[in-house]
Amino acid sequence: MQNKSQPFFKNRSVYYMSRSIVEQGERGNAWHYDIKAVYLVALLNFRLDGMKAKFRTDVALMDTADKTLFSDKLRMVFLQLPYFVKEVDECTNHFERIIYVLKHMEILQRMPFLAQDAVFKRLSEIAEVASMTKEERRQYDESLKHYRDTIAVMEGQYMEGKAEGKVETAHRMKVDGMSPELIARYTGLTEEQIAAL
């Protein structure tokens, strides 16, 4: 990710790619130039001089006469964020949502940390659900409903158990001779509830 324009960025890109290829070289007779493909993905938060006014530019080694690929060992992808003009509701896939977030990162960085975390969590949820088929979405909604119902039941049981625990504690305190005022202070029960024990 390159946030500010830098001179000679294209040359730097070629240099970094070349280094990555050269570093694969092995010594000895057994190596037959079996290099792995190297990819550079440059996210540019500026317009690159000498590059067409478009969001994505793909660069590869090719025959200039018939435009056929010469080698698949080197590829550069330049993504110029100023040319990505979609709004959040126009983003239709994971890639577009990620680019949208990257382009608007400065706004997100000004948010408090918890707000940033909530934004990324929500974006992740949206991306996951948005990529589902209708049947997967139906199953997801059903499982989410089941999950929420289960949580509600568990919370209800917890609250009920908590209330029962308070009553049991208050009863023991009363048997031990503690005053209703003191029992009320420690259990949160009213003096009327304590008197009924």
Side-chain angles (χ1 to χ4, degrees):
M1 176 81 180
Q2 188 67 46
N3 211 26
K4 301 290 182 190
S5 179
Q6 293 197 358
F8 314 114
F9 190 80
K10 287 183 190 175
N11 289 347
R12 287 179 57 209
S13 300
V14 172
Y15 174 73
Y16 293 140
M17 295 285 292
S18 301
R19 278 184 50 189
S20 296
I21 291 172
V22 169
E23 287 172 0
Q24 294 181 45
E26 295 179 6
R27 295 184 184 187
N29 296 332
W31 187 60
H32 300 287
Y33 297 93
D34 181 26
I35 58 175
K36 307 296 182 222
V38 176
Y39 297 90
L40 174 119
V41 179
L43 297 158
L44 308 175
N45 204 15
F46 59 91
R47 291 174 176 88
L48 188 58
D49 289 337
M51 190 84 71
K52 286 191 175 179
K54 61 180 183 174
F55 168 61
R56 180 176 177 151
T57 300
D58 287 79
V59 178
L61 293 175
M62 62 185 301
D63 183 316
T64 58
D66 59 14
K67 309 295 187 219
T68 57
L69 189 66
F70 174 77
S71 171
D72 63 352
K73 300 301 183 185
L74 183 143
R75 183 164 174 200
M76 294 184 278
V77 179
F78 296 92
L79 303 174
Q80 298 179 84
L81 297 183
Y83 295 114
F84 184 83
V85 294
K86 289 190 176 187
E87 295 299 325
V88 67
D89 57 340
E90 297 174 311
C91 297
T92 58
N93 55 50
H94 294 306
F95 175 73
E96 289 178 352
R97 290 182 190 99
I98 290 168
I99 296 302
Y100 180 87
V101 169
L102 290 173
K103 182 175 180 180
H104 296 89
M105 189 64 69
E106 185 178 316
I107 295 167
L108 293 173
Q109 287 174 339
R110 289 195 301 254
M111 292 180 172
F113 179 75
L114 290 177
Q116 291 178 32
D117 189 48
V119 167
F120 283 107
K121 184 176 178 184
R122 181 67 182 132
L123 282 169
S124 174
E125 290 168 358
I126 290 169
E128 288 175 11
V129 173
S131 65
M132 292 179 182
T133 65
K134 283 186 179 180
E135 179 58 22
E136 289 171 335
R137 179 60 189 260
R138 187 195 64 72
Q139 291 175 357
Y140 169 78
D141 288 340
E142 187 61 34
S143 66
L144 186 60
K145 180 186 175 300
H146 178 70
Y147 169 76
R148 288 175 176 160
D149 290 347
T150 302
I151 293 296
V153 168
M154 290 172 60
E155 285 177 349
Q157 290 176 340
Y158 171 76
M159 296 305 289
E160 187 178 312
K162 195 172 174 183
E164 288 174 3
K166 283 184 179 182
V167 170
E168 186 180 322
T169 300
H171 181 29
R172 280 187 270 150
M173 292 170 83
K174 188 175 181 181
V175 168
D176 285 346
M178 294 181 80
S179 69
E181 296 84 12
L182 200 55
I183 296 171
R185 185 185 325 161
Y186 289 119
T187 63
L189 298 175
T190 65
E191 290 188 31
E192 293 78 18
Q193 289 171 314
I194 294 165
L197 296 176

